[in-house]
Amino acid sequence: MKKSNEFTEPELYDIFNNDCSDDIAWYIDYCKKYKDILELGIGTGRIAIPLAQCGHDVWGVDNSPDMLRVLRKKMKTKNISNIHIIEQDVCTLKLNSKFAIALIPFCMFNFLLSSEEQCAALLSLRECTTEDAVLIFELITPWTFFVHQNKETFMHYRSFEYNSKNVAIYLKNDFNGQDNILTQNRLFRIDDEEKEIIMKNCIISVEKFQKLLNLCGYEISETYGDFNNNPYKEDSTSLIVIVKKVHGTKE
């Protein structure tokens, strides 16, 4: 059975995340005073499409042609023209405009596996945002996928029906505590067919994220443990961090 990176299998990405919607209303509410929104890791448009349907112009960055192929198809089907696709790497981002708000949602930042990549993304983002910009990050925590629980065999995650097909998903974690890299194998059984994809994430603590931000001229404004604005705790399954630039830092 072929193992693929999840960004080359956007249909499986959508299946895995088909019931993820708790964050959408939160982003819509938070962004309501902004016309133009920058989103890093736009993917297949899970967040961008609802924002666009609310009247925002969304400028979406992604370096996966496969994910963007699915996004373009969705935009055509839904007759959406106010999503502007930017096929670039977030670590070397070059834009002609600056934005007052930037979304880095759905653990996109965790896909940057080294401190060098993480700092490069933060520095390139500085050049694309205004002095008073708000940046919103959602990060993986040790409880998001129970990353601290390594498994030698696949464990059942959930089963459901999707587009008239029976889907069962199984997960197998391999978490390296030395470099904080989670390798997660996701096995899909869709009717009688099996497919497997691999996801790699770097788990970043609040303390490490603060150090990265300080190095790149940012500071944390607020943190939440979920999209009901509850405080972040050690066992929270989400970490939402609202970030602003440090005043007086040069562009």
Side-chain angles (χ1 to χ4, degrees), residues 30 33-34 126 130-137 213 217-222 241-247:
Y30 199 99
K33 68 178 182 179
Y34 299 94
R126 283 192 63 85
T130 61
E131 181 64 24
D132 60 348
V134 173
L135 290 70
I136 304 175
F137 296 79
L213 293 172
Y218 299 94
E219 60 186 0
I220 293 177
S221 174
E222 301 169 72
V241 186
I242 299 176
V243 171
K244 296 184 178 180
K245 293 181 179 179
V246 175
H247 289 293

Side-chain angles (χ1 to χ4, degrees), residues 24-192:
I24 293 173
W26 189 92
Y27 282 113
I28 289 173
D29 182 66
Y30 199 99
C31 295
K32 58 188 176 185
K33 68 178 182 179
Y34 299 94
K35 173 61 176 172
D36 297 315
I37 299 170
L38 176 64
E39 182 185 350
L40 302 192
I42 192 172
T44 64
R46 190 184 64 86
I47 293 171
I49 288 173
L51 287 172
Q53 290 172 329
C54 288
H56 300 280
D57 281 311
V58 182
W59 303 79
V61 178
D62 209 297
N63 66 350
S64 168
D66 297 289
M67 300 288 275
L68 295 177
R69 166 181 56 80
V70 173
L71 173 57
R72 288 187 176 95
K73 183 178 179 180
K74 290 181 181 180
M75 289 171 59
K76 184 175 181 180
T77 300
K78 298 176 184 293
N79 195 28
I80 292 174
S81 59
N82 51 332
I83 294 178
H84 313 280
I85 294 174
I86 303 166
E87 190 172 338
Q88 290 189 33
D89 191 309
V90 298
C91 295
T92 54
L93 189 59
K94 300 291 182 182
L95 302 179
N96 295 324
S97 302
K98 292 197 175 188
F99 295 84
I101 188 166
L103 311 183
I104 307 90
F106 213 47
C107 312
M108 176 269 148
F109 196 76
N110 297 97
F111 288 105
L112 305 174
L113 302 182
S114 68
S115 297
E116 290 77 15
E117 287 180 304
Q118 294 156 9
C119 284
L122 290 171
L123 290 172
S124 69
L125 193 53
R126 283 192 63 85
E127 301 302 318
C128 305
T129 50
T130 61
E131 181 64 24
D132 60 348
V134 173
L135 290 70
I136 304 175
F137 296 79
E138 183 194 359
L139 303 177
I140 288 176
T141 80
W143 291 91
T144 303
F145 294 118
F146 302 99
V147 301
H148 56 291
Q149 296 181 4
N150 281 7
K151 298 178 173 66
E152 295 183 359
T153 59
F154 282 100
M155 303 293 290
H156 180 258
Y157 176 55
R158 63 189 182 100
S159 299
F160 53 96
E161 188 175 295
Y162 185 85
N163 290 343
S164 301
K165 293 184 178 181
N166 294 315
V167 177
I169 300 176
Y170 301 82
L171 303 180
K172 183 170 63 174
N173 288 344
D174 181 8
F175 179 61
N176 185 329
Q178 291 186 331
D179 56 16
N180 289 322
I181 301 297
L182 166 69
T183 302
Q184 185 175 80
N185 291 56
R186 297 176 175 177
L187 176 65
F188 294 76
R189 289 179 180 161
I190 305 173
D191 286 344
D192 296 327

